Amino acid sequence: MKKFRLWYVWLPNFLLLVLVYPVVKWYYYHFLTAHHVVFYFPWKDGDGQKLFIKIVRGLAFVLLILSLDTFFWQKRNKKMKISELQLKVKDIADNALLSGHFLFKLYQFSIEKRIVFDLKVLDFFQYIINKIAMRDTRVALAEEWAYLNQLVVMCVHRTIEIKGVELVPGCIWNRSVPTLSLMTWIENAVSYSPYGKAIPIVIEWIHEDDATVFRVRNRIASDNEEKGTGKGLELVNRLFEPLQEDRVNVAYRIEEEMYFVVELKFMN
């Protein structure tokens, strides 16, 4: 895609270079002289190369100025957006789908350069902020899954394994889910599992005869001092209640007294 966009830069400049030479030559050595306005000596052998070099230098100078202007404008614009993002992340209420303290932790990772704060990450935060304001909105599963994958990449303080994506039928990606709901389960798993990367959080797609199942399984931290309020999961439950008519079911359970499991079933 980037290579394709480069054609928008190089092709116009190449055409400009090709067209400028005959235009400049005609203007200065034919048009002006025909009207008895002379700035140059009469055209001689070898003047073509000199004129071409002058044109190239002029265009190169213009391109340099435009490039520097674009670079510093983009850098300043990005800095302004990051500052605005920081203020918005701090203002997010803890009872939202994705809590403010969790998003701020991810933001801190970017500041500490544990993750690369590029335009893709900036787009992720802006997407989350926009969707928090519309928590009753439904989105296609494919959209939620794309941003969930970005969230997984940003959770550098945990090991998160994704399995069975190839088992998901194409039609399932078009099914709707409450926005940020799947990501809320990932936040819950990250927030209340043992700190570190030794014990992975497993995100798994399972194909059953009558359903496609999205499952998140995490070890529960026994020494977790911060007890969850449960508001996040309670809110997600309420958002999924209207989807029961669409044959979408949610279930939670504890396995072996140490693992928390959430399952989302898309019935065929």
Side-chain angles (χ1 to χ4, degrees), residues 69-217:
D69 180 70
T70 301
F71 172 77
F72 286 110
W73 180 85
Q74 288 180 341
K75 190 172 183 180
R76 181 175 177 275
N77 190 47
K78 181 179 178 181
K79 187 175 181 180
M80 290 175 60
K81 287 184 177 180
I82 290 175
S83 298
E84 292 175 2
L85 173 64
Q86 184 177 16
L87 293 175
K88 289 178 181 178
V89 168
K90 286 183 177 180
D91 289 339
I92 293 175
D94 284 345
N95 62 351
L97 282 169
L98 288 181
S99 60
H101 65 83
F102 177 73
L103 290 176
F104 192 71
K105 180 180 289 187
L106 297 182
Y107 176 81
Q108 287 298 114
F109 289 159
S110 66
I111 299 301
E112 297 166 5
K113 297 184 178 179
R114 295 172 65 180
I115 59 177
V116 179
F117 202 119
D118 55 14
L119 293 178
K120 191 173 182 180
V121 172
L122 190 61
D123 172 70
F124 171 84
F125 279 111
Q126 191 60 58
Y127 176 85
I128 298 300
I129 290 169
N130 292 342
K131 292 300 183 182
I132 284 176
M134 302 180 295
R135 64 187 185 186
D136 294 330
T137 303
R138 297 183 190 179
V139 298
L141 176 62
E143 178 179 319
E144 179 82 357
W145 178 250
Y147 283 96
L148 183 149
N149 276 272
Q150 181 65 33
L151 174 62
V152 168
V153 172
M154 294 170 65
C155 292
V156 294
H157 55 320
R158 293 289 192 274
T159 297
I160 302 179
E161 299 177 357
I162 299 178
K163 302 178 180 180
V165 179
E166 68 281 357
L167 301 177
V168 183
C171 60
I172 295 296
W173 295 118
N174 294 323
R175 302 283 288 270
S176 62
V177 295
T179 184
L180 305 183
S181 57
L182 274 62
M183 284 187 272
T184 298
W185 291 327
I186 304 305
E187 177 197 355
N188 186 76
V190 170
S191 298
Y192 302 109
S193 60
Y195 191 83
K197 297 186 175 183
I199 304 175
I201 297 167
V202 179
I203 302 172
E204 189 173 12
W205 288 98
I206 302 168
H207 178 70
E208 297 180 351
D209 292 338
D210 61 344
T212 299
V213 183
F214 171 82
R215 175 188 293 171
V216 181
R217 186 175 189 265

Side-chain angles (χ1 to χ4, degrees), residues 216-229:
V216 181
R217 186 175 189 265
N218 67 277
R219 178 76 175 264
I220 303 171
S222 57
D223 58 345
N224 189 355
E225 296 179 357
E226 296 180 5
K227 302 300 181 181
T229 62

